[in-house]
Amino acid sequence: MNILLLGPPGAGKGTQGVMLAERLGLPKFATGDLLRDAVKRQTPLGLEAKAVMEAGHLVSDDIILGVVGDELAKPEAEGGVIFDGVVRTIPQAEGLASILAASGRTLDHVVFFDVPDEEILDRLEKRRSSEGRADDDPAAVKIRLETYRRQTAPVLAWYQDRQTVHHVDGIGAVDQIFERLCQAVGC
Ligand code: AMP
């Protein structure tokens, strides 16, 4: 079962994605985690992505789709994947659809986490103090939210034109949100 999680930065995709992956016994694929690991290990991908990520901008669609193609070619992805933060632009949505279609796969569920802006800002500020992510500093957060509105928010409409999108209320206790998510995707 392939499940795509959409929503603004700080909407809970990462936290809920881990829980969903565990419940369904599927791998979770988060481009943000993969890129952060590449930056830490100073691989060519990491060296290319570092400055762009720290400033809060998006890594290029070509790089992301290359990484997505590699990930989906792995045997452990055959039974399905939880995609977290992977589709952030319409070209990425189109590219992911083609990569999946080439091996007879589709997205079984698309989930959008609804969280108001004030809550997002509050969560990112807390995450900055607890995790110390460079891209959670106020200047980078501002750019990330603008980038989200300009490039990622239109992806929601792109999916809504093509398939059902489950809207999950992302406010509340983590377990409560997970209940809602599970009801939406059937787990
Ligand atoms: P995240 O952990 O999902 O918030 O991602 C952290 C950063 O990694 C983002 O702000 C982008 O710079 C980069 N990134 C992660 N996923 C993508 C993607 N699908 N497209 C472009 N850039 C991405």
Side-chain angles (χ1 to χ4, degrees):
M1 181 148 60
N2 289 295
I3 303 180
L4 185 99
L5 306 180
L6 285 176
K13 302 183 297 292
T15 307
Q16 296 296 327
V18 169
M19 293 166 78
L20 191 60
E22 196 173 305
R23 173 73 63 92
L24 296 174
L26 293 174
K28 179 172 95 103
F29 173 40
T31 33
D33 291 345
L34 187 143
L35 291 167
R36 270 186 294 280
D37 181 59
V39 169
K40 208 186 297 163
R41 291 188 292 116
Q42 301 190 337
T43 66
L45 170 65
L47 294 175
E48 199 171 345
K50 186 173 190 288
V52 175
M53 288 176 73
E54 286 182 355
H57 293 294
L58 292 184
V59 173
S60 79
D61 291 334
D62 285 349
I63 291 184
I64 296 294
L65 288 172
V67 166
V68 169
D70 291 347
E71 208 59 30
L72 287 177
K74 293 182 180 168
E76 54 269 35
E78 269 171 25
V81 173
I82 311 293
F83 296 95
D84 157 16
V86 172
V87 170
R88 278 179 137 106
T89 64
I90 289 177
Q92 288 182 24
E94 291 166 344
L96 174 62
S98 311
I99 294 169
L100 287 170
S103 51
R105 290 178 274 186
T106 54
L107 281 179
D108 300 282
H109 295 288
V110 176
V111 176
F112 176 77
F113 290 99
D114 258 322
V115 182
D117 281 4
E118 319 80 73
E119 173 77 13
I120 292 291
L121 290 171
D122 194 46
R123 286 185 190 178
L124 292 178
E125 179 54 36
K126 283 191 185 126
R127 188 166 78 182
R128 180 176 169 230
S129 349
S130 63
E131 293 179 23
R133 268 177 59 168
D135 62 351
D136 281 341
D137 89 64
V141 162
K142 189 163 175 279
I143 294 174
R144 284 168 71 203
L145 289 177
E146 280 165 11
T147 304
Y148 172 78
R149 285 190 197 105
R150 200 177 58 250
Q151 291 182 270
T152 310
V155 171
L156 176 60
W158 190 92
Y159 280 113
Q160 277 170 331
D161 285 345
R162 287 161 180 81
Q163 67 187 96
T164 303
V165 174
H166 308 285
H167 282 249
V168 169
D169 177 0
I171 296 286
V174 169
D175 288 345
Q176 214 177 13
I177 301 169
F178 187 61
E179 277 291 303
R180 297 178 196 137
L181 172 61
C182 264
Q183 254 177 19
V185 304
C187 63

